[in-house]
Amino acid sequence: MAVTAAARSTVIVVTWRGREHITRCLDAVAAQDHPHRTVVVDNASDDGTAGLLAAHPSQPEVLRLPVNAGYAGGLAAALPMIGTEFVAWLNDDAAPEPGWLAALEDALDADPAAGAVSARLESPDGEPTSFGVRLTGLGYGADVVEPAEVFGFCGGAALLRTGALAAAGGVPAGFFCYYEDTDTSWRLRLAGWTVRSAPAARVRHVLGASTRPGSPAFHRWNERNRLLMLIRCAPALVAARELARFAVLTAVLPVRRHVPDAQNFRLRLRLLVLAEVAARLGPTVLQRLRIGRRSTVGRRAVWHTFAG
């Protein structure tokens, strides 16, 4: 569908070496029954993705980055280009149904207090994998797999108010990958917005086509970004508790008898996470202060409502 003056949404697709699935994604975006603008952020792909983008009949706008900035970095790089009322985040391995964008826009129109709305993500065989994100008592974000109230949106396929996102501080580009959606949802809630789920907005998603869940990099990004998110957004005691818990568990790993067989329990990986958090601690505390100045809802109120 050609972009028209009536377009209210810009769909941002971030890709990296997406040759195997980017065409299917763009075909599905082009088939949306609401007018829209499409921007593809190419994270320096070297597998022929650039040629597929140039040849696609929908002629998406392409922002090619000189290096791989990750999903969070790609979104952050595209935000200055967005002039529409709404902005959609969409994974390059996701294929939305034709009514996806319309259902998301309708959900935001129906609730002026909502800053973001999360789609229904499904596996290729139609099983729901996420209606949004909940916040656990340890400060992890976890997918909600049945229709229910959500704390935050799943960044694989969601629609946000562009102005609300900008006012809340945009996307944490330094996260690279993972937890940028939960962090953004938290900041929206601190700013007084709500986050909703739109089960009618359906998206088929090949989970992990661009990254490898369970890999060392996956666990490194998840654990590091969770801690950074807590320092930025959570009550101070919660952030300090979880940072201490992570550090103590890391320290006792060498003497524990039974250690789970998972990458995030590998000593070297956990030490790397702690080193990266320590290196970013100063700037992250400054970000926390800026977030606090923008907030209209207390950190403890958000925490106790959704995790306490």
Side-chain angles (χ1 to χ4, degrees):
M1 176 179 289
V3 177
T4 72
R8 302 175 66 197
S9 298
T10 299
V11 180
I12 302 178
V13 179
V14 179
T15 189
W16 176 70
R17 296 180 181 173
R19 179 170 55 89
E20 298 300 324
H21 42 260
I22 190 64
T23 297
R24 181 173 63 252
C25 174
L26 292 180
D27 288 347
V29 172
Q32 294 303 300
D33 53 21
H34 267 206
H36 59 278
R37 177 186 176 204
T38 304
V39 173
V40 180
V41 181
D42 182 1
N43 266 321
S45 299
D46 55 5
D47 64 340
T49 295
L52 293 176
L53 297 177
H56 197 272
S58 69
Q59 297 183 313
E61 299 174 58
V62 178
L63 172 61
R64 182 170 172 83
L65 301 183
V67 296
N68 182 7
Y71 191 60
L75 290 168
L79 282 182
M81 303 170 58
I82 309 306
T84 51
E85 179 182 3
F86 304 135
V87 57
W89 299 8
L90 186 67
N91 281 4
D92 65 348
D93 54 4
E97 293 191 352
W100 165 73
L101 186 58
L104 293 177
E105 289 183 353
D106 288 348
L108 286 182
D109 286 339
D111 185 359
V117 60
S118 196
R120 168 187 167 128
L121 275 74
E122 304 174 347
S123 65
D125 60 4
E127 288 296 312
T129 58
S130 181
F131 289 90
V133 174
R134 62 184 176 89
L135 192 61
T136 75
L138 298 181
Y140 284 93
D143 285 309
V144 176
V145 295
E146 58 185 23
E149 182 182 14
V150 298
F151 166 75
F153 63 89
C154 175
L159 188 68
L160 294 79
R161 296 187 192 274
T162 307
L165 174 60
V171 184
F175 279 25
F176 189 80
C177 191
Y178 299 116
Y179 274 92
E180 64 281 326
D181 49 5
T182 310
D183 180 279
T184 300
S185 298
W186 207 324
R187 287 180 287 113
L188 286 172
R189 288 199 174 275
L190 289 172
W193 295 96
T194 63
V195 180
R196 302 297 185 197
S197 178
R202 301 177 67 167
V203 180
R204 293 293 174 96
H205 182 220
V206 184
L207 184 64
S210 299
T211 58
R212 291 184 297 124
S215 68
F218 170 88
H219 283 294
R220 168 194 164 201
W221 294 327
N222 265 281
E223 297 290 0
R224 180 195 69 190
N225 292 348
R226 176 183 73 98
L227 294 174
L228 293 175
M229 175 190 71
L230 292 174
I231 296 169
R232 283 161 54 92
C233 301
L237 288 178
V238 172
R241 181 196 72 195
E242 291 308 312
L243 186 56
R245 185 197 304 272
F246 190 91
V248 169
L249 179 55
T250 301
V252 302
L253 272 180
V255 297
R256 283 188 66 171
R257 276 189 177 181
H258 304 292
V259 176
D261 186 21
Q263 289 292 335
N264 58 327
F265 282 89
R266 299 291 186 266
L267 180 61
R268 182 176 179 180
L269 184 145
R270 296 178 71 89
L271 290 173
L272 177 60
V273 167
L274 287 171
E276 290 186 331
V277 171
R280 299 184 185 202
L281 187 58
T284 304
V285 170
L286 292 178
Q287 293 162 11
R288 176 187 178 86
L289 296 175
R290 286 195 291 268
I291 292 168
R293 286 194 292 268
R294 290 191 294 260
S295 298
T296 60
V297 179
R299 298 176 192 271
R300 285 189 293 179
V302 173
W303 175 259
H304 285 297
T305 299
F306 292 98

